[in-house]
Amino acid sequence: MSHIALYRAWRPQTFHDMVGQRHIIKTLQNAIRENRVSHAYLFNGPRGTGKTSAAKIMAKAVNCERGPAPEPCNECDACQGITAGTVMDVIEIDAASNRGIDEIREIRDKVRYAPSEVRYKVYIIDEVHMLTTEAFNALLKTLEEPPGHVIFILATTEPHKLPATIISRCQRFDFRQVSLEEQTERLRLICQEEGIQAEEEALSYIARLSEGGMRDAISLLEQSAAFGGESITLEGAVDVTGGLAANQFARLAEAVRDRDAGAILPLVEGLMQAGKSAEKCMENFIYYFRDLLVLKLAPQAGASTERIVDDGRFSEMAQAFTAERLFRMIDVLNRYQTEMKHALQSQTLFEVALMKLCTMNEQGETVERDAASGGGASSGGSQTGSAAGQGEITRLQRQVEMLENKLEQLLRNGVTAAGAGEASGAGQANAGNANRRGGAARGAFGSAGGGGTISKPKLEPFVAALNGSATSQIRMRWGELLQRVKDAKITVHAWLVDGDPVSAADETVLVAFKSMMHRETTEKPVNRELIEHVLREVFGRPIRLATVMMKDWQAAAEGGAARQETAETLQLEPEDEPASKPEWVEEAYKMFGDQLVELKSD
């Protein structure tokens, strides 16, 4: 018997034949029995769960010559005609290919006419979510006030795409996935009726593979029967459906358990040569570890899967992994599965994901295996090596925490870079510009001396020379200097271009940076040497490079301008200015600026 013949032979003809939708069947039957049939229904749920079949059974039930009856007789002319599709008053429309406003307008124009053959006109619109917005608007008025002889049954797998105005005018029924037990029982009944020999494990495998869709399950059953010659075995069902056998899962899991990355590549290559899809393998492997996790955390649930036949071996595998490691492995596989949707080399990503699992410790960190231990170490040896490596990691983490605590104490006590000693001086100078952890790391860049942090130059001479001729000369030829630096080494230019030449004094050009990283990279000895070499070429004399953060320069420049303004207001020469001003004067300048504050003497 062909697949089409088998599916049609076992397609539900009455409500009693439907599987797994008892709550919906009971509601519809009661409505028919009490003559309270609605004018519009919405059937939604996963594919293959009986939405269209229920709609046709409903059409037969309300139009049966012996009814309306809770169950159609399937013997009268009306029932047989609806089953054969020859009754013109029961119209089935595929909205995926008839989704425009013209088709819906045609329905709207025809609903006013009374049925010619049966009691009710029934419109079954499948995949109704595919209709356009205009088509929904045209259907809306008809759904709201249809003639009494018309019933609309809308079927969809994606109800969230329907306008709320359409849903509110229908009685909604949610079809659920058919349970594994119900599917297996129906497949067993089909095999008995059709004379097909089938193993119980094969039927369970087919039922799980259909993901709750009875139609898909019947299709897979027929496909497996055709492959096995009227005899269905688990191995044959796995082969014909492109799944993975239990031993293949076990071998991959053992390689991950033993952190044997070397065994991963030949195993994956064997799967690919057997015609398996990397995406499907990834999906099934996630399910495999999920079942291991369920068995570990809820052993009473009896996590059975279509991939596992030997429960003892499966339980032993679950004991080899900790729950924390299983959680992390599922998380890693899920991330790689998302990337595989957009990758050209899905097999490579699958291999990388499995090798990633082999190198993860219990905390999810990547660790390198000792080459001397080999790839095929036993589980016990692997755990011993992992424990030793974990102890070393813990010791290093404690040392880092101790150093961080010491550094924070120094910073809280206000210790300067010079006063903190040589050991802690590297981190203190940059504490104002970086977080406390990053400050110590930046010290590795050093200044011209190579071992310390970048010191801030004295800014007073540069503030005094802000409007001098040397500064103007530097600014006019800065573009030429940048171009020469770019020609010499483009990477140095990429960092230096962030700086702004703000002043020049004592044969030194001061460059202000907005980014600390750009400043630190520019200050590297090799980069500083190149820039000063270009300065000598451009200006014909040795010129040194000094750097400062832009915010520090702006503060110094504003302070210099304020002091100059104060000196002029008090009619004092700049050199006669007091060493310091009252604190309230400084605060006034900071709050209102030197343009709004005028200082007068009594």
Side-chain angles (χ1 to χ4, degrees), residues 381-404:
S382 175
Q383 292 175 357
T384 302
S386 176
Q390 182 59 31
E392 180 67 17
I393 292 173
T394 303
R395 185 182 64 82
L396 293 175
Q397 287 176 341
R398 290 176 180 173
Q399 289 183 352
V400 171
E401 291 176 359
M402 291 174 59
L403 292 174
E404 289 178 348

Side-chain angles (χ1 to χ4, degrees), residues 111-296:
V111 294
R112 69 185 69 174
Y113 303 113
S116 58
E117 300 179 64
V118 291
R119 192 175 296 111
Y120 289 95
K121 269 192 173 183
V122 181
Y123 287 91
I124 303 172
I125 306 179
D126 199 12
E127 301 297 337
V128 68
H129 65 274
M130 297 293 290
L131 292 179
T132 62
T133 303
E134 294 77 8
F136 276 125
N137 292 334
L139 181 63
L140 187 60
K141 187 66 175 178
T142 304
L143 281 180
E144 187 174 17
E145 298 177 358
H149 57 264
V150 175
I151 298 175
F152 283 94
I153 303 179
L154 314 181
T156 179
T157 56
E158 302 182 55
H160 58 277
K161 293 185 177 180
L162 270 65
T165 51
I166 295 290
I167 297 176
S168 65
R169 287 165 171 80
C170 302
Q171 284 192 13
R172 176 171 174 173
F173 291 90
D174 297 326
F175 285 68
R176 64 177 178 84
Q177 292 181 335
V178 183
S179 68
L180 176 64
E181 294 76 12
E182 291 174 315
Q183 279 189 311
T184 305
E185 181 61 30
R186 177 52 61 91
L187 293 178
R188 187 183 301 111
L189 177 61
I190 293 175
C191 290
Q192 292 175 358
E193 295 292 334
E194 300 297 332
I196 301 174
Q197 300 295 324
E199 296 179 355
E200 192 67 23
E201 295 83 1
L203 296 181
S204 298
Y205 171 81
I206 293 173
R208 282 187 172 271
L209 206 62
S210 65
E211 298 179 351
M214 197 65 235
R215 182 182 63 217
D216 293 346
I218 296 177
S219 174
L220 292 172
L221 179 69
E222 175 63 22
Q223 186 179 357
S224 301
F227 176 80
E230 301 301 326
S231 177
I232 302 176
T233 62
L234 177 61
E235 292 74 12
V238 169
D239 289 340
V240 76
T241 57
L244 291 174
N247 62 335
Q248 292 172 311
F249 273 103
R251 290 167 63 188
L252 280 173
E254 288 171 356
V256 173
R257 178 197 64 190
D258 299 336
R259 295 185 170 86
D260 186 4
I264 293 295
L265 295 180
L267 287 174
V268 174
E269 185 63 29
L271 293 174
M272 298 302 106
Q273 291 180 359
K276 311 300 181 183
S277 166
E279 292 84 356
K280 193 65 177 179
C281 290
M282 178 73 82
E283 176 186 345
N284 290 338
F285 214 49
I286 292 176
Y287 285 140
Y288 180 88
F289 284 121
R290 171 262 179 196
D291 293 330
L292 286 179
L293 186 61
V294 171
L295 183 62
K296 192 168 190 66

Side-chain angles (χ1 to χ4, degrees), residues 429-452:
N430 291 330
N433 301 321
N435 60 56
R436 292 177 177 176
R437 289 188 180 182
R442 289 195 182 103
F445 287 115
S447 58

